Each structure stands twice: as C-alpha cells, then as structure tokens.
Amino acid sequence: MFTRTDVAELVPQICGPVLLPGDPGFAEEVAGFNLAAVHRPDLVVGADDTGDVITAVQWAAAHDEPVGVQATGHGADLPMEGGLLLTTRRMQELVVDPVRRCARIGAGVRWGSVIDAIAPHGLGVLNGSSTHAGAVGYTLGGGLPVLGRVFGFAADWVRALEVVTPDGRLRAVDAEHEPELFALLLGGKGNLGIVTTMTLELFPLGPLLGGGIFWPGEDAQEVLAAFSRWAPGLPAAASTSVALRWMPRSAAVDPRVARRQVVHLRFCWVGDPEEGRRALEPMRSTGRPLLDTVAPLDYRRIDRVHLDATQPGLYVLTGEFLRDFDAAALAALLQHAGPGTQCPLPEVGIRLMGGALAGPGARDDAVTGRDAAFFLELIGRLSPGVAERTPPALAAILRALAPWSTGRAFVNLHGMPGGESERARAWSEEVYARLVRAKAVYDPQNLLRFQHVVGQVR
Ligand SMILES: Cc1cc2nc3c(=O)[nH]c(=O)nc-3n(C[C@H](O)[C@H](O)[C@H](O)COP(=O)(O)OP(=O)(O)OC[C@H]3O[C@@H](n4cnc5c(N)ncnc54)[C@H](O)[C@@H]3O)c2cc1C
C-alpha cells in the first residue's frame, strides 16, 4: 500500500513517467494490443532503462505492491487489478554483432525491429506469427516460431538474460551463472523477475519460400484431411499450419479472400525453393484454391505467412498441444468449428510441431511442447455481440479434442487459464514443481502475481 507522498518520493528517482489513475497520459501508458484485458493498476511506471526497473521494483517491494509488466500488450490475457505496472516500451536497446552472431535486445523491442536490423547481415531469429509482438515477452514464454521446425523454440537461442528479481537485484544469468534461474526464466514467462535485456544467438538464414494457400471455407473437410495426411511427412525444412478462419478486410488481405471464411494454409520453407515447391505440391493440387501466395519471401515480410491482425482488438488466444491430428480428430474439430456450425471463432488452427521443436533443446529450460505432434490454436473475439458466445465455443472445441491432447498448454497461447491446476498445465509436473520452488526463493512476497503465475494467486 502506498500514499501520494510515497509516489512523490518515487517520481524524482525515475527517468520515465510515473502516473496515477486519472493523470494525463495514464490510459495511453497502460493501453496494450489486447483491448479485452485493460489493466487497472494503482500506479504505472514507464521504465526508461534498467535503473528505472530496479528502482520501481525496490519501491514496490518496500510498499508490498504487486508488480506487472507490459511491453506491447499482445500477451495481456488477464487484466491486472491494482499493483504497479511497469511498461517497458521505451527500453529499445538493440545491438547486433554480426561477427559473433548475437543481438542484445531491450525489454521493449518488437521482433520487427530485430529483423530489420539483422536481415541485411543474412541472419535470422525465431519470431512468431506476428513481428509486432515483443521479443522478450514472447521468448520468455518459450516462443513457438514460424520457422520452429528448422531451428526449434526461440528460448533455445537465448545466450544470456539480465533480470531484476523481486528483491530489486539486477542479475546477469546464463547457463553458467545462476543456471536454475536462467533455465526457469526460459519458458517460465514473467514468474521470476523482470527481464531488462536478452542476448540472443543469431543464425545464418538462407533463401525462404513462404506464403499461404486459401480455399473456400466449404472445402474444409477435403483440405484439412489432405493436411493431416501430408504435414506429418514433411522434412524439418518446412514449417506449416492450417486454419479455418474468417478473413478481415484490410490492406494486407487480397480482395479475393477478404471478408469470407477460408481455409488458410501457411507454409515456410528454409533452403532450396525448388525443393520447397515440390514438398508443397500435394497441397497445391488439393481442391480449387482461391489464392496461392507461396513464393520466394523477403525475410522482412515474414508476417505475410500468417497474416495476423496488426490492429489492437478484443480477443482471447488459447490452445492445446495434440499428440495426433487424425481423421477422427478432424471430424471432432469440424463438428464444432466447421462451416455451417455457427462457430463464432474467427480462427481455428492446427500448427505442425516436430522437427527441431521435438529436439531436446539447447539446454535445460521450462519450455513445454517438445513431445507434441500438433498445436491446436484458437482465437476468439471478445467484442460486444459475440463475447458471450466465445468462451463456450472455445471450451467445446477443447473438450472435443481432449482425447488427442497431450494434456499440456503453451504458456504464450494459454488464454485466460483460471485456477492453479489449469495454469499449471502450461508446464510438465517436474518443471512446475521447480518453478514453485524458485518462486519461493526469488519472490517470497509473491510480488509477481499477475497473468500466468505459478502457485496460489493471493
Ligand atoms: C497476433 C499474435 C500472434 C502471436 N503469435 C505467437 C506465436 O506465433 N508464437 C508464440 O509463441 N506466441 C505468439 N503470440 C503470443 C505472444 O508471444 C505472447 O502474447 C507474448 O507474451 C507477447 O509478448 P509481449 O511482451 O509483446 O506481450 P505483453 O502483453 O507486453 O507481455 C505479456 C507478458 O509477458 C511477460 N513479459 C513481458 N515482458 C517481460 C519482461 N521484460 N520480463 C518478464 N516478463 C515479461 C509478462 O508475463 C507479461 O505479462 C502471439 C500473440 C498475438 C497477439
């Protein structure tokens, strides 16, 4: 708890803005991409640098004020009520060393900025389907990338982190220094501290073939059945997913597919484009596509593969790892989300896992999903008129696909998980137990108690 006098003492110690509800600029500082989860903190601190993060966390600990963190708001799944919100969008440090093949990335940097800086050097990173998301928040959640089957999870490529733990200490952690904290930050999301910078290993990235194929929604049965036979046999050079989705009307969407329900295959191939074209051929010759955009792809245009929303909206993203997506799973999916079912979800997708995503990982970490064959990815709208129908529709699909589930969720795409047992499904039992133990060591006050937290929420 704090008073206005306490805040007045904090203000001169922070370079960025310190705002209370009702102050000019408060709503803008708090706003994020997901308009369905508008945070209502007692105080927001716009951190300019690591020093601001340390000061704000020490101040919060002294006043027993819980702490939340936001870079872009892409992962604002649960609205924060009370507490101190640290916004990191001003922390834009980005240093690329093409010789040592690494990049030092500040807490507020989006993937798009990283890619613009490294693409001219022929280097790559493991961004997700939208390069508007924050690089650090995404990677701490494991990071399920567009090119994951070739290179693994984003977390596999983290060399080092600088993190402010809830005791207000800045710690430089890597595989040698505080290895348990390092391992659990990678996939443990925001449970153990506020990461101020991340050092990522970069990799040489050759030619890309990428884009999408679109069929009318009515062809869902035929296209998804073809996908379920074709995808598991692909080499690791191919990353792919398919979604039954309602396409918006936007500048990025071709008018031939805008404002209609389509089946959207996403495909990305790293290496010889001719081989990629051959691998894609069975899907190209399925049904009668409305549009095919798969072509040599400039890495800086990688958002063209998934065509995710770029404007803030009211949504929930959730999903489940699957051990299989066979004919019976497809029938269960279509029964609840197929054309003509009145399913209100704008997007119901299946991502192929496997390849390097199935590897043991570069080192010990808290990433979930290495044992999965597919990821079921659901997007629901929470805008007025549809908000009430969305949660039951999500629940019905998850229930219908439960027989194929590995029992695990992915923390980056886990939506609004609710109670502890549901939140715990984002990790294996062993990793969850380690996270709970580490939380007791690093955060005994339970200051970091918002979003996808481990343990009881007080
Ligand atoms: C359109 C869209 C596409 C997406 N595609 C993918 C995808 O392909 N693969 C995938 O894995 N995920 C994907 N996501 C999920 C995304 O990775 C998560 O939402 C992620 O949390 C975004 O990070 P952020 O920092 O931008 O979000 P924010 O909302 O700003 O932060 C979300 C949470 O991340 C944690 N966090 C953020 N910054 C820090 C920090 N500095 N220190 C500690 N914790 C921090 C906190 O727990 C915070 O509450 C997608 C999301 C959207 C909306």
Side-chain angles (χ1 to χ4, degrees):
M1 296 298 285
F2 61 85
T3 63
R4 280 196 170 260
T5 312
D6 298 327
V7 177
E9 283 167 14
L10 175 66
V11 171
Q13 302 175 53
I14 299 277
C15 299
V18 178
L19 303 167
L20 289 163
D23 283 348
F26 178 88
E28 292 79 0
E29 192 62 38
V30 166
F33 190 77
N34 189 355
L35 303 178
V38 178
H39 298 313
R40 275 182 283 274
D42 296 329
L43 179 72
V44 59
V45 173
D48 241 19
D49 55 21
T50 298
D52 278 358
V53 176
I54 295 170
T55 306
V57 170
Q58 287 175 348
W59 185 91
H63 295 87
D64 202 19
E65 192 67 13
V67 177
V69 56
Q70 176 163 283
T72 72
H74 276 68
D77 294 324
L78 301 160
M80 171 180 170
E81 297 292 342
L84 183 155
L85 176 64
L86 260 169
T87 57
T88 59
R89 67 174 72 112
R90 293 171 187 77
M91 297 176 65
Q92 291 293 327
E93 179 181 352
L94 177 55
V95 181
V96 175
D97 183 338
V99 177
R100 290 178 55 233
R101 280 201 206 139
C102 63
R104 191 175 144 91
I105 300 170
V109 176
R110 294 176 194 258
W111 277 126
S113 307
V114 181
I115 292 172
D116 284 347
I118 64 172
H121 302 289
L123 297 170
V125 281
L126 289 173
N127 55 283
S129 57
S130 168
T131 61
H132 295 255
V136 169
Y138 159 97
T139 304
L140 296 179
L144 181 55
V146 179
L147 303 178
R149 282 174 41 86
V150 198
F151 299 108
F153 286 92
D156 295 343
W157 293 78
V158 178
R159 279 190 188 170
L161 296 168
E162 285 177 8
V163 58
V164 178
T165 41
D167 56 3
R169 267 184 63 192
L170 176 66
R171 300 167 194 256
V173 299
D174 59 26
E176 267 90 54
H177 305 92
E178 303 201 54
E180 179 70 355
L181 178 57
F182 182 58
L184 294 177
L185 284 164
L186 299 174
K189 204 108 191 223
N191 268 295
L192 299 173
I194 313 291
V195 170
T196 54
T197 58
M198 162 173 87
T199 301
L200 266 193
E201 188 169 341
L202 310 172
F203 47 82
L205 187 61
L208 288 180
L209 181 77
I213 306 181
F214 302 78
W215 292 262
E218 308 86 82
D219 294 356
Q221 163 70 46
E222 180 186 0
V223 176
L224 290 175
F227 176 84
S228 71
R229 290 189 299 269
W230 164 77
L234 285 171
S239 296
T240 187
S241 66
V242 69
L244 192 57
R245 67 187 291 203
W246 287 91
M247 296 301 290
R249 189 175 55 187
S250 83
V253 175
D254 186 288
R256 280 168 287 181
V257 296
R259 299 197 70 174
R260 62 176 295 174
Q261 193 180 33
V262 297
V263 187
H264 179 194
L265 178 85
R266 299 75 172 248
F267 183 78
C268 218
W269 177 271
V270 180
D272 178 3
E274 255 330 298
E275 273 182 51
R277 285 191 192 93
R278 276 199 294 281
L280 184 59
E281 192 42 44
M283 290 310 293
R284 279 195 154 143
S285 55
T286 296
R288 276 168 296 131
L290 297 165
L291 177 68
D292 182 341
T293 67
V294 180
L297 181 71
D298 178 343
Y299 180 37
R300 284 166 290 202
R301 304 281 170 269
I302 194 144
D303 283 350
R304 290 187 182 168
V305 176
H306 280 255
L307 291 176
D308 281 350
T310 53
Q311 294 303 315
L314 296 103
Y315 63 86
V316 52
L317 275 179
T318 189
E320 189 86 9
F321 286 113
L322 305 180
R323 49 181 171 69
D324 199 0
F325 183 63
D326 58 16
L330 168 57
L333 186 70
L334 289 180
Q335 193 188 342
H336 289 85
T341 56
Q342 309 296 318
C343 173
L345 307 185
E347 194 167 326
V348 173
I350 300 284
R351 279 198 208 200
L352 180 66
M353 300 289 295
L357 294 167
R363 70 187 82 75
D364 183 27
D365 62 30
V367 175
T368 308
R370 298 190 195 275
D371 57 345
F374 291 93
F375 182 69
L376 168 69
E377 189 170 357
L378 307 175
I379 304 184
R381 268 198 220 100
L382 294 174
S383 33
V386 71
E388 281 176 11
R389 294 169 55 215
T390 293
L394 294 170
I397 297 173
L398 292 171
R399 248 191 334 269
L401 273 291
W404 292 270
S405 169
T406 66
R408 300 278 162 234
F410 189 58
V411 67
N412 263 358
L413 301 163
H414 196 189
M416 304 177 286
E420 186 185 358
S421 60
E422 181 54 26
R423 281 181 275 116
R425 289 202 315 110
W427 298 280
S428 70
E429 280 166 29
E430 182 256 325
V431 168
Y432 188 75
R434 283 168 64 192
L435 278 166
V436 170
R437 278 198 299 275
K439 181 101 175 137
V441 172
Y442 291 102
D443 189 13
Q445 266 178 285
N446 196 20
L447 287 187
L448 304 173
R449 69 178 80 150
F450 298 111
Q451 303 282 347
H452 300 267
V453 288
V454 300
Q456 297 286 332
V457 181
R458 282 195 264 126

